[in-house]
Structures are given as structure tokens and as C-alpha cells.
Amino acid sequence: MRIKTRLEKNYALFDQLVAPSGQILDIGCGYGFMSMMLHFRSKDRIITALDYDEEKASTAQHCYGRGAALQFHAGNALDFPLTQYDAVLICDVLHYLSPTDQKALVRKALDHLNPGGKLIIREGNAEIRDRHKGTELSEFFSTRVFGFNKTSANGLSFLSAATIHELAVEKGYTCEEIEASQRTSNTVFVLQKPAVAYVA
């Protein structure tokens, strides 16, 4: 935990991107480090955190200091019933899914945002070829060497920035890119729903 939060700079970027109040959904929360930091930074955030790994979600749910405004659940994000959110976070998750499921999950998240809400995605961008090897190497150690994360039989599938931008345009949302690393292709994408309804 100490190493992860230090590497993430205590999730300061995500604290800036997520409003200090409102309904927040963190998909693929793992042991809940980012959800906890967002919770500790503002008790006005009502956070639902979800991970497919039951052991991780259970550990996070029983963490000391967790208030009632932060709840952890185990489940498949594609099947999990969603409400409406002011921000949805999908960080370092999509590459574990097939391309079809990646698009389905992004669309599902976009459909459950309140007006003005944000979908915040952090992913390795396959278009940044020179640094993408660094992302693939870190995932190799995470999944094959240390076993922190699990992959399906189909392995990993990294998507492109173009795909994320296309999904944003499809829904009439804006899409901003923030470079998240100098050594890997990790990029933060902020897809924002208009404050007024979009008519296709």
C-alpha cells in the first residue's frame, strides 16, 4: 500500500478530477487504495467501489477507517446494476477485457452519468508505440510474475486512444487526454457528459 500510494502520488490527479461531492463509482478498485484516498479527501463523496476479485473487495470493505459513504462490492462490472453517477473511474482495467467487452463497459458507464458527469479512464494507449512496451512489461510482472492481477485465457488487449475518442463522440461527450507517465503509454482520458441533454 505504501509503495502503491507513493507511486500514485496519493492519487492527487484523480482527487482534482473528481468533484468533492456527489455519487462516485470506482470500477476495478482492487484493494481500494484510490477509493480510500478520495473518501478521506472528502466525506461528501458517496463512493461505490467494485472489483471482480472477491478477496480484494472483502479486504477493502473491512479496512479500518472506512466510513459509511464508501462501500466495496465484488462483481463483474458488465453485470453489476448501476444507478447514476457524477463520476465513474475505470483505471487499469480495460486491457483485461476483450475489445467487445471494453466497448460495452465504456458505453455502460457513459450511459450512467449525470449531466456534467465524468468518465475517467486510465489505460495504456497502444498508439504510443515507443512507450507501450513499458506498459506491457509492467503488466507482465503484475500478472505473470507477482500474480497481483489475474488475466483470462485470452490474455491482455490494449486499446487505442482513437477507440476511446470514438466512443465519446458516439455519445456526444467531450474527451480530454492527460499523459500519466513518461516511461509507459499510460494515459488518463476524461470523457465528460454535457450539462444539458445531447440530441443525436
Side-chain angles (χ1 to χ4, degrees):
M1 180 189 74
R2 287 194 300 268
I3 293 169
K4 178 68 172 172
T5 53
R6 188 180 304 124
L7 288 172
E8 294 282 1
K9 298 178 181 173
N10 294 323
Y11 298 96
L13 173 61
F14 297 95
D15 182 45
Q16 293 167 15
L17 292 173
V18 175
S21 64
Q23 297 285 337
I24 315 300
L25 174 65
D26 182 6
I27 295 176
C29 64
Y31 286 111
F33 302 146
M34 178 164 62
S35 294
M36 284 286 188
M37 293 300 285
L38 293 174
H39 173 60
F40 291 148
R41 289 285 294 162
S42 176
K43 300 297 184 182
D44 292 326
R45 290 171 173 149
I46 311 301
I47 303 173
T48 301
L50 176 68
D51 199 89
Y52 73 97
D53 189 320
E54 199 168 319
E55 185 270 336
K56 289 181 178 178
S58 177
T59 299
Q61 181 70 5
H62 291 90
C63 183
Y64 176 79
R66 180 190 62 79
L70 171 58
Q71 297 293 322
F72 291 92
H73 303 272
N76 184 327
L78 288 166
D79 302 324
F80 193 79
L82 304 186
T83 58
Q84 294 299 119
Y85 303 94
D86 299 294
V88 176
L89 299 120
I90 307 178
C91 296
D92 310 319
V93 170
L94 292 176
H95 56 272
Y96 293 108
L97 306 177
S98 70
T100 299
D101 286 347
Q102 290 171 355
K103 292 180 181 179
L105 182 56
V106 170
R107 287 187 176 111
K108 181 177 180 179
L110 292 173
D111 287 340
H112 287 84
L113 286 177
N114 288 323
K118 296 176 182 176
L119 169 59
I120 301 165
I121 299 171
R122 181 170 66 187
E123 265 302 317
N125 176 8
E127 293 174 8
I128 308 176
R129 299 183 184 278
D130 58 332
R131 284 187 275 140
H132 193 59
K133 290 179 181 177
T135 300
E136 291 177 322
L137 183 62
S138 68
E139 286 300 326
F140 171 79
F141 278 101
S142 174
T143 58
R144 300 301 179 93
V145 177
F146 298 112
F148 293 142
N149 297 310
K150 303 169 187 173
T151 60
S152 68
N154 298 323
L156 304 177
S157 179
F158 289 93
L159 73 175
S160 66
T163 299
I164 294 177
H165 281 278
E166 286 167 10
L167 291 167
V169 169
E170 176 186 301
K171 298 290 184 181
Y173 293 12
T174 60
C175 184
E176 174 192 1
E177 288 185 38
I178 302 170
E179 202 169 89
S181 172
Q182 297 296 318
R183 293 189 295 274
T184 70
S185 63
N186 286 350
T187 304
V188 174
F189 300 89
V190 183
L191 290 71
Q192 187 160 17
K193 184 175 184 175
V196 294
Y198 170 72
V199 179

